[in-house]
């Protein structure tokens, strides 16, 4: 029976697709040494974000033919090493973009309506908070969207069409796609931060984007403005954000991601009352988790049953090397 390694248990619906067809085992941990041992005789790996498949692991797994990611990102796979060995790296673009976009909208609405403060006040018997007028309307407010890819575009659409917000977008690569939309694109992040009532981040972590939300940009925001991050903690100068939140130089923040995850228990963000936090859970809805496990498992089933998996991230490199893209045509 073909051996399949799971870097971590997957949703039972995904498991069901593998049962009876494959010998499925779970890695004992995400440590490289454990993965080298666990992967040495497997032909497929289903990879969650808990582990990294390094060149060393790939080179110690002579039978490995396919690595199937349960998400869009392949930053935890040495794709070059896999391509050199003719191993398919499959991913799932857009598998969780509805969940993440909804989470960003939820954070925006939570901040606008000050739900954390309202909830606390009611529990503490401070009913008079209803007269404090700390909540705001979203209609007509400016949403600055940084990164108009699959998630950013969906957040823009939901907030524009559904909530009547004005969209100010910054994305040097995708402006053309939106020429029929009533969105304003800016070529300068400074303008976006200066004008937006809410800023939401949706670009990947790359050497160009790391730290892109600088102290200067944060301090250029209106004192009534909020920042929402469901992309990566590394995009923001977190220390500057904490200072701005403490000094009330901005109104608040909604954060699903952090520079260090989980954040250290002494991280000041955990003590501030003008932030709402979630544990990198934007993608982890029932629906997206089920889809992530079933579609990642389906890529493995398809491959070994002789069908080309739907999304092969390194397809170009594999074709250049003359690698067959399904198991049956390969042998
Ligand atoms: N919180 C979560 O659970 C979760 C889940 C999925 C994705 N994410 C994050 O969300 C990010 C966006 O996901 P996506 O599916 O929309 O990706 P995507 O690739 O579809 O879109 C990314 C967009 O960012 C743009 N971009 C790249 N560099 C930029 C820059 N310097 N300035 C502005 N824009 C830039 C790209 O042109 C692209 O349009 C991911 O990279 C990931 O970090 C988080």
């Amino acid at each position: 029976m073909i051996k399949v390694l799971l870097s971590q248990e997957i949703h039972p619906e995904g498991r069901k697709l593998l049962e009876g067809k494959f010998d499925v085992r779970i890695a004992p941990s995400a440590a490289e040494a454990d993965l080298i041992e666990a992967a040495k005789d497997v032909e497929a790996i289903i990879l969650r974000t808990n582990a990294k498949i390094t060149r060393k692991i790939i080179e110690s797994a002579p039978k490995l033919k396919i690595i199937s990611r349960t998400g869009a990102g392949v930053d935890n796979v040495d794709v070059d090493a896999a391509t050199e060995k003719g191993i398919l790296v499959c991913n799932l673009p857009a598998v969780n973009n509805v969940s993440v976009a909804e989470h960003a909208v939820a954070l925006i609405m939570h901040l606008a309506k000050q739900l954390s403060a309202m909830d606390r006040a009611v529990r503490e018997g401070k009913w008079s908070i209803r007269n404090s007028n700390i909540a705001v309307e979203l209609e007509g407010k400016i949403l600055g969207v940084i990164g108009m890819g699959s998630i950013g575009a969906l957040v823009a659409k939901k907030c524009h069409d559904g909530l009547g917000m004005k969209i100010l977008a910054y994305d040097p690569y995708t402006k053309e796609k939106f020429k029929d939309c009533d969105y304003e694109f800016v070529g300068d992040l400074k303008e976006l931060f200066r004008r937006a009532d809410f800023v939401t981040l949706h670009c990947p972590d790359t050497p160009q984007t790391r730290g892109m939300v600088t102290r200067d940009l944060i301090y250029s925001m209106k004192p009534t403005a909020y920042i929402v991050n469901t992309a990566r903690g590394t995009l923001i100068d977190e220390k500057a954000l904490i200072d701005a939140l403490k000094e009330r130089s901005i109104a608040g923040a909604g954060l699903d991601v952090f520079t260090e995850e989980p954040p250290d228990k002494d991280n000041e963000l955990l003590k501030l009352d003008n932030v709402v936090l979630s544990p990198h859970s934007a993608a982890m809805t029932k629906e997206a988790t089920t889809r992530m496990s079933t579609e990642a498992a389906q890529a493995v089933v398809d491959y070994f049953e002789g069908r080309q998996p739907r999304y092969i991230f390194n397809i170009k490199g594999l074709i250049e090397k003359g690698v067959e893209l399904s198991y049956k045509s390969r042998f």
Side-chain angles (χ1 to χ4, degrees), residues 64-81:
L64 187 59
K65 297 177 184 66
I66 173 169
I67 299 167
S68 182
R69 276 280 298 118
T70 55
V74 290
D75 44 337
N76 57 339
V77 182
D78 189 327
V79 178
D80 290 342

Side-chain angles (χ1 to χ4, degrees), residues 100 149-151 170-174 202-204 209 230-232 256 280 283:
V100 181
S150 56
I151 297 171
Y170 175 83
D171 188 325
Y173 312 105
T174 58
H202 301 289
C203 51
T209 60
T230 55
R232 286 291 179 264
D256 185 50
H280 201 148

Side-chain angles (χ1 to χ4, degrees), residues 78-319:
D78 189 327
V79 178
D80 290 342
T83 310
E84 281 167 32
K85 293 274 174 200
I87 295 167
L88 279 71
V89 178
C90 297
N91 69 332
L92 300 172
V95 69
N96 50 29
N97 58 359
V98 169
S99 291
V100 181
E102 287 179 356
H103 198 93
V105 178
L107 290 173
I108 292 166
M109 294 192 76
H110 189 109
L111 291 165
K113 303 303 166 189
Q114 287 293 299
L115 293 180
S116 295
M118 299 289 184
D119 178 86
R120 265 194 312 272
V122 174
R123 290 168 201 273
E124 290 165 7
K126 297 176 181 157
W127 191 254
S128 61
I129 193 169
R130 70 186 291 270
N131 299 317
S132 63
N133 307 135
I134 54 173
V136 294
E137 287 183 349
L138 287 168
E139 186 160 309
K141 295 287 189 309
I142 297 176
L143 176 65
V145 185
I146 302 175
M148 287 286 283
S150 56
I151 297 171
L154 207 49
V155 172
K157 184 172 167 25
K158 287 174 189 295
C159 289
H160 179 272
D161 299 359
L163 297 169
M165 297 184 82
K166 293 180 184 147
I167 305 300
L168 199 59
Y170 175 83
D171 188 325
Y173 312 105
T174 58
K175 192 174 164 181
E176 276 308 291
K177 272 205 281 184
F178 300 95
K179 53 180 188 300
D180 297 331
C181 296
D182 176 25
Y183 303 159
E184 184 183 349
F185 271 78
V186 288
D188 179 11
L189 267 184
K190 279 195 206 131
E191 185 180 347
L192 183 144
F193 275 82
R194 190 171 44 78
R195 289 175 54 199
D197 297 300
F198 290 79
V199 172
T200 184
L201 300 176
H202 301 289
C203 51
D205 174 17
T206 65
Q208 289 75 40
T209 60
R210 214 160 293 148
M212 74 193 292
V213 181
T214 59
R215 180 173 288 271
D216 280 354
L217 287 174
I218 295 170
Y219 274 86
S220 70
M221 292 171 79
K222 302 179 202 176
T224 48
Y226 293 94
I227 188 159
V228 166
N229 190 6
T230 55
R232 286 291 179 264
T234 45
L235 303 183
I236 301 186
D237 178 341
E238 198 172 271
K239 171 76 177 79
L241 177 66
I242 292 168
D243 291 343
L245 287 164
K246 276 165 70 178
E247 294 161 19
R248 308 269 163 177
S249 170
I250 62 171
L255 306 173
D256 185 50
V257 288
F258 304 84
T259 308
E260 185 195 344
E261 293 185 7
D264 189 89
K265 66 175 179 19
D266 295 325
N267 187 323
E268 290 186 87
L269 284 171
L270 310 189
K271 300 180 184 87
L272 298 175
D273 63 5
N274 51 350
V275 294
V276 52
L277 309 172
S278 55
H280 201 148
S281 58
M284 307 299 280
T285 58
K286 287 192 178 81
E287 293 83 355
T289 311
T290 309
R291 263 195 314 271
M292 288 193 271
S293 79
T294 53
E295 293 184 21
Q298 189 62 48
V300 172
V301 173
D302 282 345
Y303 175 77
F304 286 105
E305 290 186 348
R307 296 180 296 274
Q308 181 178 321
R310 190 154 168 218
Y311 301 109
I312 304 173
F313 181 80
N314 58 345
I315 191 161
K316 197 164 161 268
L318 295 174
I319 289 173

